[in-house]
Amino acid sequence: MSKWWWSLPVLGLSLLSPLPAGAEDGYKLWLRYARVEDPVLLKAYQAAFSSIVVQGKTETDQVLLKELQQGFRGLLGKSLPNSDQPQEGSLLVETPQSSPHFFPPQWDRELQGMAEGSYVIRSIEVNGHHVTAIASESPVGCLYGAFHLLRLLGTQQPVDNLDLSESPKVKRRVLDHWDNLDGTIERGYAGKSLWKWQELPGQVDDRIRDYGRACASIGINGAVLNNVNANPQILTSAYLAKAAALAGALRPYGMKVYLSANFGTPKALKDLPTADPLDPAVAAWWKAKADEIYKLIPDFGGFLVKANSEGQPGPNDYGRSHDQGANMLARALAPHGGIVMWRAFVYQDSVDKDRIKRAYKEFTPLDGKFDPNVFIQVKNGPLDFQPRERFSPLFGAMPRTPLAAELQVTQEYLGHSTHLVYLGTLWKEFLDSDTYAKGKGSQVEKVVTGELDGQKDSLIAGVANTGDDRNWCGHPFAAANWYAFGRLAWDPSLASEDIAGEWTRLTWSNDAEAVTSIVSMMMASREAYVDYTCPLGLNGVFEKDLHYAPDPGMVDPRREDWSAAYYSRADTEGLGFDRTRKGSDAVDQYHKPLPDEFNSLSKCPEKFLLWFHHVPWDQKMKSGNSFWVELCGRYSQGVREAGQQKDQW
Ligand code: BDP
């Protein structure tokens, strides 16, 4: 198929300036700490803060003191001294350990009942002085509080009568780096890996600390360092020492390091003739490996595993099941407090003719069979990070297993780092979806936070979009997705528009017109992208391997379900994949009343139409148009919208 039309929106957006205003190059991300523009506010802020009191002596305390000093210097043009005693206008940063004399006992009680990393920010009086207090049970909570206060100043919010209490709704907020040991990044569009493996462990690039700062500023508290298509070498002593050096650099920022583990490692490294999870020698190998890791990295988070998926080894190779594989690893990690993130991205074609039904069919029978420290990590949609998918029916279908949501921050199918596509709206659509698992009001968000089924541990992972490009993500607007991922992982109930507004103010400007224009570009961008690439629920139509431009007729000789034609199903009758009860019956993997809604051509929301239906070309749409006319109209609408963004910019 000719792809001339594909160049239209790209042309439009490539006219965006790649650099932020002035001499800035994007390196500072949303941590620019630009001088407060409003003169009245600037004066008020300058008067409100006189000194910083950080009595804690941990590495995290040092990091947060430096951050506050840098932030105030930039925002207020004023250096604040670190003093021992609170005075009028002090900013008091306290934990019960660091400041036993100041820490109000009732705050202690309040915070003890809250999740790790929680904090309060309050305007109070201490010894007759007006001070602002940031308080937490831990230095890391204070660090989050410090970033919160700087965000308030950076977005020009009032800070005189503060009474804030913040608590992360998800416990583990993790970036998954698909970084290879040779420095390349699978699906990376922003240069090479940030981890300079060849320089480690002797030399840790300063940039790692800035990465840690950026993550901490939005509450991200973990990083999987290497690609899910894991090179077994990562678990050799040489690489573990390198990982330990990175863990040391990230620890002050409250970040734990995790590793992707290749299930076949004991065999691949030629330590054992097999990787069979039921072979005692294999279990002993992993136990010894876990012991070795925790000697080097005492707070190691755990393993992420892609097993029996896209050629990766796994328990099925030995006739064993996913739970047998995952539990064997989990038992090696459990004594140290580590977890296994076992991915549900599996689609063996023997399981079902329709690829999107396979993971559900493989995993739901295993609910209740996993050890407590195993997460099943599920991509938001049942296919593969498409511009729009219905949520994976696994959410809400495994009540006895903690489910981690895997989102993709890097824009594999969403225009790489060339197209402006703000993903906050996509992720909210997913998180807000009602699974109906326990009746109305059982949103995906509640599955992920653990609220729905009373899970104690919770995890959201985002496949990172960072690289060693000077501006981190390849395009300033791609950084908004890193930002939005962190903010939503902390609190999935935040509104995507508010997050876009915050990011815009911190990154570009507080100027009202700039904020309105940029936020409206961002808010419309994903819908426009869907329209100009795969409208009305069309899916799986991207070109082979690269996954950049749509190519709905593509046939991949390697696998039917890697072919766009398998998904688009265009024929003389119509377009789209019939997943109704007359077709693959994927609709019945959802809880009632969703199956009936999706099954019906008239009730199915039009944005998911081709995901569930093979729609006749002459089908009458809600607009009154025929399906064909509507489809063409959506493509044109997407292109128009992209053009409009150019004008707005
Ligand atoms: C697909 C990517 C592939 C990943 C795979 C995965 O194309 O590069 O390895 O997902 O998530 O989206 O394992």
Side-chain angles (χ1 to χ4, degrees):
M1 170 183 269
S2 155
K3 288 194 235 156
W4 63 267
W5 45 272
W6 174 242
S7 60
L8 290 175
V10 185
L11 261 182
L13 286 186
S14 66
L15 295 178
L16 286 175
S17 157
L19 293 177
E24 294 190 56
D25 56 15
Y27 184 85
K28 292 180 185 166
L29 296 163
W30 49 87
L31 300 173
R32 286 171 63 231
Y33 302 134
R35 185 71 37 84
V36 172
E37 290 152 79
D38 181 321
V40 180
L41 259 183
L42 178 62
K43 262 202 151 154
Y45 288 164
Q46 285 168 336
F49 295 100
S50 63
S51 66
I52 306 176
V53 183
V54 177
Q55 291 173 319
K57 298 279 175 280
T58 68
E59 279 187 298
T60 302
D61 290 302
Q62 286 160 32
V63 158
L64 76 84
L65 175 60
K66 209 171 139 199
E67 195 71 36
L68 285 168
Q69 287 173 331
Q70 183 181 337
F72 277 102
R73 215 172 22 248
L75 289 155
L76 273 52
K78 177 176 171 181
S79 295
L80 297 187
N82 184 28
S83 78
D84 281 346
Q85 291 298 323
Q87 314 142 8
E88 187 65 20
S90 286
L91 173 59
L92 177 56
V93 180
E94 50 182 2
T95 66
Q97 292 74 35
S98 72
S99 318
H101 304 305
F102 304 129
F103 208 96
Q106 70 274 22
W107 290 12
D108 202 7
R109 282 194 293 276
E110 177 185 340
L111 283 159
Q112 268 174 14
M114 286 160 67
E116 214 176 302
S118 301
Y119 57 87
V120 297
I121 308 180
R122 287 180 180 146
S123 308
I124 53 165
E125 270 189 38
V126 174
N127 303 338
H129 301 304
H130 295 96
V131 306
T132 305
I134 299 176
S136 173
E137 292 296 293
S138 67
V140 170
C142 290
L143 178 63
Y144 294 151
F147 278 116
H148 190 146
L149 182 69
L150 292 170
R151 186 162 71 230
L152 292 177
L153 297 169
T155 53
Q156 304 199 1
Q157 305 300 307
V159 294
D160 40 3
N161 266 311
L162 292 173
D163 185 9
L164 296 168
S165 166
E166 270 284 329
S167 190
K169 295 209 174 122
V170 178
K171 197 167 157 193
R172 300 172 192 263
R173 308 171 294 277
V174 181
L175 279 181
D176 289 2
H177 291 269
W178 285 359
D179 294 20
N180 297 312
L181 304 187
D182 64 2
T184 57
I185 303 178
E186 176 137 0
R187 311 302 173 187
Y189 312 105
K192 296 197 112 189
S193 174
L194 288 169
W195 334 125
K196 309 289 175 217
W197 292 108
Q198 72 286 3
E199 294 173 5
L200 293 164
Q203 192 180 318
V204 181
D205 191 346
D206 272 349
R207 195 160 177 176
I208 303 305
R209 290 175 238 285
D210 283 335
Y211 165 81
R213 282 177 62 221
C215 286
S217 74
I218 46 176
I220 291 171
N221 67 358
V224 179
L225 298 180
N226 60 315
N227 192 355
V228 284
N229 299 314
N231 185 330
Q233 292 295 322
I234 190 71
L235 295 184
T236 58
S237 305
Y239 272 96
L240 291 178
K242 294 169 191 276
L246 290 174
L250 294 174
R251 192 169 292 118
Y253 301 93
M255 289 191 73
K256 272 188 184 173
V257 152
Y258 301 75
L259 293 174
S260 290
N262 181 307
F263 196 80
T265 304
K267 191 171 167 213
L269 295 182
K270 299 200 165 59
D271 288 346
L272 294 174
T274 175
D276 180 352
L278 295 198
D279 185 322
V282 172
W285 187 93
W286 283 104
K287 198 180 168 317
K289 189 49 76 182
D291 295 345
E292 180 189 351
I293 295 175
Y294 279 92
K295 274 207 191 88
L296 292 165
I297 313 173
D299 55 354
F300 178 65
F303 292 139
L304 171 62
V305 188
K306 172 175 178 176
N308 294 118
S309 162
E310 301 187 329
Q312 293 300 315
N316 297 172
D317 303 351
Y318 306 94
R320 316 297 184 196
S321 53
H322 285 287
D323 53 309
Q324 288 173 320
N327 292 345
M328 184 270 296
L329 293 179
R331 285 166 201 169
L333 295 166
H336 307 282
I339 60 158
V340 171
M341 297 158 284
W342 191 268
R343 298 178 85 226
F345 183 61
V346 294
Y347 55 95
Q348 291 186 46
D349 46 16
S350 56
V351 175
D352 196 282
K353 276 196 179 146
D354 182 356
R355 170 168 157 181
I356 72 154
K357 289 176 66 190
R358 296 173 189 159
Y360 178 97
K361 284 175 94 172
E362 275 207 60
F363 275 90
T364 47
L366 305 180
D367 188 28
K369 292 194 175 166
F370 292 97
D371 279 13
N373 60 331
V374 176
F375 279 91
I376 297 304
Q377 184 159 310
V378 186
K379 291 187 183 186
N380 57 297
L383 180 50
D384 188 12
F385 298 138
Q386 299 298 294
R388 169 166 277 130
E389 292 186 44
R390 208 58 190 103
F391 70 90
S392 164
L394 276 168
F395 293 99
M398 296 186 69
R400 289 182 291 166
T401 312
L403 289 198
E406 184 177 295
L407 310 174
Q408 199 181 39
V409 189
T410 190
Q411 292 168 242
E412 176 179 353
Y413 294 95
L414 284 119
H416 299 185
S417 53
T418 308
H419 292 233
L420 192 177
V421 184
Y422 171 56
L423 297 173
T425 47
L426 187 163
W427 297 330
K428 280 299 282 184
E429 180 175 289
F430 160 67
L431 292 163
D432 290 347
S433 297
D434 201 336
T435 68
Y436 289 91
K438 291 193 169 166
K440 199 170 164 45
S442 308
Q443 288 85 355
V444 168
E445 176 199 324
K446 291 187 188 160
V447 178
V448 177
T449 59
E451 188 189 329
L452 194 69
D453 300 304
Q455 303 291 353
K456 287 194 194 73
D457 208 349
S458 51
L459 193 154
I460 292 196
V463 180
N465 64 351
T466 50
D468 71 354
D469 274 7
R470 180 70 192 159
N471 66 7
W472 300 89
C473 302
H475 194 288
F477 272 104
N481 291 330
W482 181 6
Y483 185 87
F485 168 74
R487 299 288 287 126
L488 283 174
W490 178 277
D491 184 356
S493 72
L494 292 176
S496 54
E497 187 159 9
D498 293 345
I499 298 173
E502 260 176 24
W503 175 81
T504 299
R505 288 170 182 277
L506 297 170
T507 303
W508 302 103
S509 166
N510 276 288
D511 175 85
E513 202 186 336
V515 174
T516 312
S517 304
I518 294 173
V519 171
S520 82
M521 288 167 67
M522 291 168 75
M523 291 305 288
S525 60
R526 184 269 189 140
E527 212 55 49
Y529 186 83
V530 166
D531 278 344
Y532 65 74
T533 59
C534 49
L536 296 169
L538 187 60
N539 247 288
V541 293
F542 288 85
E543 67 185 323
K544 202 166 136 198
D545 299 326
L546 200 60
H547 299 167
Y548 181 63
D551 186 5
M554 184 271 286
V555 174
D556 190 324
R558 294 168 299 181
R559 275 186 78 122
E560 191 194 19
D561 59 8
W562 285 352
S563 303
Y566 167 85
Y567 297 100
S568 57
R569 309 240 150 172
D571 58 19
T572 51
E573 308 281 310
L575 184 69
F577 201 124
D578 185 358
R579 294 189 168 111
T580 65
R581 295 186 181 118
K582 283 201 230 101
S584 80
D585 195 23
V587 294
D588 275 312
Q589 288 186 336
Y590 291 92
H591 292 279
K592 285 193 171 77
L594 296 176
D596 287 343
E597 180 187 320
F598 299 156
N599 194 58
S600 146
L601 191 57
S602 59
K603 285 194 208 134
C604 181
E606 284 190 345
K607 60 184 177 183
F608 297 117
L609 206 57
L610 302 172
W611 180 261
F612 289 116
H613 293 267
H614 190 67
V615 181
W617 296 114
D618 58 2
Q619 174 71 33
K620 197 167 172 192
M621 303 291 287
K622 287 191 182 112
S623 61
N625 291 329
S626 72
F627 167 60
W628 167 251
V629 171
E630 183 80 11
L631 183 73
C632 296
R634 293 295 175 107
Y635 277 108
S636 305
Q637 168 59 25
V639 174
R640 266 197 308 277
E641 181 64 47
Q644 207 172 314
Q645 289 172 9
K646 193 182 91 182
D647 297 341
Q648 281 176 292
W649 180 250

